Amino acid sequence: MTIDDALNAIHRPWVSRNTLTLAQGEELRKNFEELLEQFFDRIAQSVHSGDPADMDDLLREWVMARTQSDLEAHRTSLPSILNHMHLVTYQVARENLPDPDALALLEALLPVFSHCFEYAAHLEIEENIRHISRQLEHANKNLQRLDKSKSDFIAIAAHELKTPLTLIEGYSSMIRDSSQLGSDRNNIEVLLNGIENGANRLRHIIDDMIDVSLIDNNLLSLNFQPLWLNRLFFVLRDEFIDVIEDRSMRLEVVDFPGCDEMTFGDNERLYQAFRNLFSNAIKFTPDGGKITVDGRKLPGFFEITLSDTGIGIDPRDHSVIFEKFGRVGNTSLHSSGKTKFKGGGPGLGLSITRGIIEAHGGSIWVESSGYNETMCPGSTFHVLLPIRSTPHDPKLAKLFALDVDQSTAPPSESAEA
Ligand code: ADP
């Protein structure tokens, strides 16, 4: 029997046994059968030409076809597939050929298989090295970004902390001078107020920094309590009404359907989140502008919108502003108050707001046609907040005589009370 005849004799059993043992599932088997047919034809070609390198481009194709997840899970290693195919070759040759023909065929195939092993191992090592280099490059880029954000943090923190510190230093030395000059009590009172303002600003900046680091490290803990959105906006309106009047602005809080329904959330944190949105809307809207709070009830969610008639935001910055220190425009401005037109800030507010909303299982995004200080196209911030009819905490549920529904539980452990 010639080697060709021997190959023909084992062709079908070789393909079907390899397909059955290597591929699982009907669809995969069909594809794999085609690959095995190609492989078998190539083996025959190599045996004919006496050049095992005829196998190379096919092996290269197989190695390249490995996906990223195959590489990460160290799955489908080609040498182990080849090893399996070699074993099947040995079995089907013994089962389908007389011993001397089987031996002659295995001898003819030996150099082809050993070349395949060597070449496949070489290709896989190369591919793994490329994969590891890509991972290292990615890790390196992340480290560089982290390093940059660390230095940004230090630079901006120093910049931000300096203003109130200078205020405190200035007022303290004025108090010293005034006490030496025997200044009256009223004058001292004014200076003490100045120190108090400086200390408050310092505390706000430090609180924001702590919040950002809690959010970054997934440590923001929420205290789920009953809440009513209309009441929350009512308190916010109360807080900002004087500034809004001072700046001749109008504020409209629409009583949208569902805003008076009870839901569960962290009142304090949500107040902080919407407060940031309110203060930004005031800050980036010129005097005489309008701010509107509206919303709607969607299946499972409230969608709250906060629109202003302010300077707007360039679409390229729509995601940047939610990053920490995501200030756009003149970033050398110090914090200059929460409501002054275009007042500078540390750029932490929106990243904290997003962290709070996301910890509740919601999301936030902005719509604005662009940035234009003359035309004032305005911005609309959208907040999606899940409606929770029960608190996550069973003790709280008992307190409110409710059944705990796990499907309404906060998204992560770190977001629990
Ligand atoms: P900041 O402390 O600077 O206010 P934020 O994180 O709250 O930081 O906001 C980031 C940036 O997003 C702001 O510096 C501003 O450029 C932009 N921004 C936020 N809200 C508005 C708005 N309503 N209109 C226009 N620009 C806004």
Side-chain angles (χ1 to χ4, degrees):
M1 189 186 275
T2 64
I3 296 292
D4 269 350
D5 291 337
L7 278 170
N8 274 340
I10 67 157
H11 183 176
R12 283 309 326 147
W14 186 90
V15 171
S16 54
R17 187 164 310 171
N18 273 314
T19 310
L20 265 177
T21 46
L22 283 171
Q24 277 161 7
E26 207 47 45
E27 195 54 32
L28 204 63
R29 281 198 183 126
K30 240 171 68 197
N31 293 338
F32 203 62
E33 197 172 316
E34 274 172 39
L35 292 174
L36 286 167
E37 288 285 2
Q38 282 176 15
F39 192 84
F40 195 87
D41 288 350
R42 213 44 94 80
I43 291 180
Q45 186 185 323
S46 297
V47 172
H48 268 295
S49 68
D51 184 5
D54 281 349
M55 304 294 300
D56 290 1
D57 55 338
L58 191 71
L59 294 174
R60 184 173 285 275
E61 249 175 59
W62 282 25
V63 170
M64 293 303 169
R66 290 177 80 194
T67 60
Q68 186 75 8
S69 44
D70 288 337
L71 285 166
E72 270 154 22
H74 304 288
R75 273 199 304 258
T76 57
S77 149
L78 191 51
S80 69
I81 295 176
L82 286 169
N83 197 20
H84 185 87
M85 293 199 289
H86 190 218
L87 202 74
V88 169
T89 313
Y90 176 78
Q91 288 167 353
V92 293
R94 282 202 57 187
E95 287 161 17
N96 294 281
L97 298 171
D99 281 356
D101 294 327
L103 195 64
L105 178 66
L106 291 172
E107 249 177 49
L109 292 181
L110 195 62
V112 180
F113 268 104
S114 46
H115 173 80
C116 286
F117 282 132
E118 200 178 315
Y119 191 61
H122 169 77
L123 285 177
E124 285 214 346
I125 289 171
E126 263 185 5
E127 187 55 24
N128 281 335
I129 290 174
R130 263 198 298 275
H131 172 64
I132 291 169
S133 310
R134 278 196 299 269
Q135 280 184 322
L136 279 176
E137 208 176 302
H138 184 69
N140 204 16
K141 274 199 187 129
N142 274 348
L143 277 177
Q144 277 172 5
R145 245 191 28 220
L146 206 71
D147 205 41
K148 162 118 187 30
S149 108
K150 232 170 64 190
S151 13
D152 277 358
F153 187 87
I154 293 168
I156 296 174
H159 192 66
E160 283 297 326
L161 296 174
K162 239 164 134 179
T163 322
L165 211 59
T166 313
L167 265 179
I168 294 172
E169 278 169 358
Y171 282 117
S172 323
S173 78
M174 280 159 82
I175 289 182
R176 190 178 304 114
D177 294 348
S178 329
S179 57
Q180 276 163 8
L181 295 171
S183 212
D184 66 38
R185 209 186 136 71
N186 281 351
N187 196 16
I188 301 267
E189 191 87 17
V190 172
L191 300 176
L192 282 175
N193 281 345
I195 291 185
E196 205 171 55
N197 278 342
N200 278 342
R201 276 168 75 171
L202 261 184
R203 192 174 50 79
H204 273 129
I205 295 166
I206 291 166
D207 282 351
D208 278 359
M209 286 177 177
I210 291 171
D211 284 346
V212 162
S213 96
L214 286 177
I215 290 165
D216 271 1
N217 294 299
N218 246 340
L219 290 173
L220 188 71
S221 64
L222 297 180
N223 182 14
F224 280 81
Q225 300 277 340
L227 89 94
W228 290 262
L229 285 171
N230 61 344
R231 294 187 193 177
L232 194 134
F233 296 135
F234 187 77
V235 184
L236 269 168
R237 190 201 341 230
D238 247 23
E239 178 180 342
F240 284 101
I241 199 70
D242 288 346
V243 189
I244 285 179
E245 277 171 9
D246 281 353
R247 303 236 350 246
S248 316
M249 288 176 150
R250 275 173 306 141
L251 169 66
E252 186 186 0
V253 182
V254 178
D255 263 340
F256 61 88
C259 68
D260 54 351
E261 288 176 18
M262 186 183 89
T263 178
F264 278 84
D266 187 319
N267 271 294
E268 239 174 82
R269 286 298 188 182
L270 284 175
Y271 187 84
Q272 181 186 6
F274 284 109
R275 190 177 189 279
N276 283 339
L277 295 181
F278 259 69
S279 91
N280 277 346
I282 296 172
K283 222 162 57 168
F284 296 104
T285 301
D287 291 4
K290 185 178 178 198
I291 295 163
T292 312
V293 183
D294 201 348
R296 57 187 177 146
K297 192 177 170 189
L298 300 168
F301 284 89
F302 284 122
E303 182 182 1
I304 301 117
T305 51
L306 201 136
S307 317
D308 61 54
T309 56
I311 58 176
I313 303 164
D314 191 316
R316 280 170 303 186
D317 297 323
H318 285 186
S319 55
V320 176
I321 55 168
F322 291 103
E323 302 293 327
K324 52 176 182 282
F325 308 125
R327 300 186 297 183
V328 292
N330 185 357
T331 51
S332 64
L333 291 168
H334 281 290
S335 276
S336 41
K338 293 263 176 202
T339 48
K340 197 177 141 195
F341 182 46
K342 289 196 293 168
L348 296 176
L350 284 180
S351 108
I352 295 171
T353 299
R354 181 178 68 173
I356 293 172
I357 302 291
E358 287 182 353
H360 277 82
S363 58
I364 179 169
W365 70 97
V366 68
E367 265 180 328
S368 173
S369 58
Y371 171 83
N372 190 321
E373 289 193 22
T374 327
M375 306 294 289
C376 284
S379 314
T380 299
F381 283 82
H382 295 251
V383 174
L384 267 188
L385 200 64
I387 300 173
R388 290 183 205 286
S389 51
T390 54
H392 179 52
D393 185 347
K395 278 187 237 142
L396 261 185
K398 220 169 164 186
L399 191 67
F400 295 106
L402 294 162
D403 287 333
V404 178
D405 174 4
Q406 289 301 330
S407 64
T408 58
S412 66
E413 281 304 305
S414 63
E416 283 172 39

